[in-house]
Amino acid sequence: MVDFPPRRKPSRKGSMADVPKDLLEQIKELERLFTVGHAKLKEVTNHFVKELEKGLSVEGGSIPMNPTWVMGYPDGYETGTFLALDMGGTNLRVCEIDLPEEKGEFEIIQSKYRMPEELKTGDSEELWEYIADCLQQFIEYHHEMEDLEQMDKKLPLGFTFSFPATQDYIDHGILQRWTKGFDITGVEGKDVAPLFEAALEKRKLPIKLGALINDTTGTLIASHYTDDTMQIGCIFGTGCNAAYMENCGSVPKIAHHNLPPDMPIAINCEYGAFDNEHVVLPRTTFDVIIDEDSPRPGQQSFEKMIAGLYLGELFRLVLVDLHDNKCKMFEGQDISKLREAYSLDASFLSFIEEDPFENLSETGELFSRELGIKANKPELELCRRLAELIGTRAARLSACGVAAICKKKNIEACHVGADGSVFNKYPHFKARGAQALREILNWPAGKRDPVDIRAAEDGSGVGAALIAALTIKRVKAGNLAGIRNTEGMI
């Protein structure tokens, strides 16, 4: 066996010297299509602010701006044992979180369960049965109980239901529409809490639904629990979203509750729906195709331009178009695998952007292994540039939502807690987003960014548990605004 010295990290600056003229022209055209300049960023952000305001009005707008009935931040002294259920786009996660007496501390045990693809477009009852089954497995394993009915007190649970829902109460939620590839009949327009509770009751599980939350709201609360300068929670993953704390007096659509105007209430923006009217976002023909071929055409316009679910598909559509219509891309090769819709995800682009070699050998191997395509060096250079353009556009547009909340709330400095696979794993996403924020908010060069987007705490687990704890604390204090069923909470 030969011992090699430690591998020096290769540098890659790239070269277009050997790229044929027709491919160079296509690269220039792609740069024109996918580059978002600072003037456009500011235009998008200013329109974003107006749409946030419209969403809070009685009439409403494209951005739902859902009141969550989370009335303020934790103080760090919440205590107790709580369950958290996280239903996201790919996995189902069950957690048990212990909040000890030490301020801002927590202990967590958790298990993940794969969300079967067939459930995402299947029957409503099958979905809730599967979720209840996972909860039962978790409790039986971690509590080693033969008879769950013998528990003398139900475990309070925070349910992270990461889909747009209207909430008149914190312990219920009417699903507005499915996102993230879900399309289960018989759930949209219905309160998901009774559907979930019926499945729990069927199994006699000792669980009390304390709060139904969105992962973004959980991210806001969990991040503030450990860092009180966090004022915005964001998700950049399969989907995109943000949450922040508003004053009740600034939310006209809940004025009928007659709450104190300075009382805080967390708003789940659901701003993936920004610009569904197609007024300001710089959509390309490929964005239009993604929208028209999606299960929900005309919805989630912003999300379809920046979320991980769509970045790979955007990349794929461009390559197919280049092969079929624009130039001799992958000439004479079988691209049948590339023609399969959603056969590429954001990790494919991430891998390309991380290829450190001048000859893009790892990218070439990726195309050969995953798509059966033997790409030459100029074609690989185009693919590399296309991945950079799509990834950069997503990061720069994502900054517009954060900037819009800052402008609306006159926030000059804060931390922003961000989570999601794209934020955490996509190369350069954080730096590109930070650069866009500087351009939008006109920060002076050479100084520390006053609004700093950082990795968030576990919003869908710890955040859900904290919100359940906050809800119980409010019940004990007699503050029942937005709580429907207090039975079994104390």
Side-chain angles (χ1 to χ4, degrees), residues 329-330 333 363-364 367-368 372-380 383:
M329 192 83 172
F330 309 136
Q333 298 202 52
T363 302
F367 270 80
S368 177
I373 292 173
K374 301 290 185 184
N376 60 38
K377 177 72 172 359
E379 290 169 343
L380 293 175
C383 292

Side-chain angles (χ1 to χ4, degrees), residues 69-324:
W69 302 103
V70 177
M71 317 297 281
Y73 292 116
D75 59 17
Y77 293 105
E78 291 73 18
T79 60
T81 299
F82 303 86
L83 291 178
L85 173 65
D86 173 17
M87 179 183 164
T90 308
N91 295 314
L92 191 70
R93 184 166 62 116
V94 182
C95 313
E96 184 172 295
I97 294 105
D98 182 58
L99 303 176
E101 293 184 356
E102 292 82 8
K103 184 178 180 182
E105 296 293 322
F106 62 86
E107 295 176 1
I108 182 170
I109 56 174
Q110 58 185 316
S111 296
K112 279 187 178 180
Y113 306 88
R114 188 78 180 171
M115 180 66 77
E117 285 297 320
E118 60 270 19
L119 281 185
K120 295 182 181 181
T121 54
D123 177 74
S124 170
E125 187 174 348
E126 290 176 352
L127 172 70
W128 304 114
E129 288 285 333
Y130 178 75
I131 292 172
D133 186 53
C134 293
L135 277 166
Q136 183 169 346
Q137 289 181 45
F138 179 87
I139 293 176
E140 288 177 341
Y141 179 78
H142 290 289
H143 288 269
E144 298 179 352
M145 295 173 58
E146 292 183 4
D147 188 358
L148 297 176
E149 296 180 51
Q150 291 179 2
M151 287 188 72
D152 58 353
K153 186 179 179 182
K154 290 187 175 183
L155 287 166
L157 178 138
F159 182 5
T160 303
F161 184 73
S162 303
F163 303 90
T166 303
Q167 289 188 270
D168 293 325
Y169 305 93
I170 197 168
D171 50 347
H172 99 135
I174 296 172
L175 177 65
Q176 294 168 344
R177 62 188 174 278
W178 286 114
T179 56
K180 304 177 187 176
F182 280 75
D183 192 17
I184 299 169
T185 57
V187 186
E188 288 184 349
K190 291 187 178 180
D191 185 353
V192 300
L195 300 174
F196 172 61
E197 288 169 329
L200 297 181
E201 180 60 32
K202 188 175 179 180
R203 282 172 166 72
K204 303 296 181 185
L205 294 177
I207 294 171
K208 166 63 181 176
L209 177 62
L212 186 77
I213 74 158
N214 182 277
D215 56 351
T216 320
T217 310
T219 296
L220 171 67
I221 297 302
S223 298
H224 193 277
Y225 182 67
T226 57
D227 176 1
D228 60 12
T229 64
M230 292 278 187
Q231 294 190 47
I232 302 171
C234 291
I235 300 291
F236 304 115
T238 310
C240 70
N241 195 12
Y244 72 100
M245 204 64 73
E246 188 57 88
N247 297 321
C248 288
S250 299
V251 189
K253 62 184 177 183
I254 63 168
H256 59 285
H257 289 278
N258 298 314
L259 298 169
D262 58 348
M263 178 180 280
I265 184 168
I267 299 295
N268 166 31
C269 299
E270 292 294 352
Y271 68 23
F274 169 63
D275 201 31
N276 282 347
E277 303 84 3
H278 312 314
V279 173
V280 71
L281 285 174
R283 297 204 309 162
T284 67
T285 54
F286 307 104
D287 296 299
V288 173
I289 291 169
I290 283 178
D291 181 40
E292 290 177 347
D293 291 347
S294 71
R296 294 286 190 275
Q299 295 184 15
Q300 302 299 102
S301 291
F302 186 55
E303 183 168 281
K304 287 170 181 171
M305 295 182 74
I306 73 170
L309 182 62
Y310 305 101
L311 299 185
E313 179 66 0
L314 195 58
F315 181 81
R316 187 194 70 80
L317 286 170
V318 174
L319 292 186
V320 170
D321 182 64
L322 288 172
H323 176 274
D324 290 351

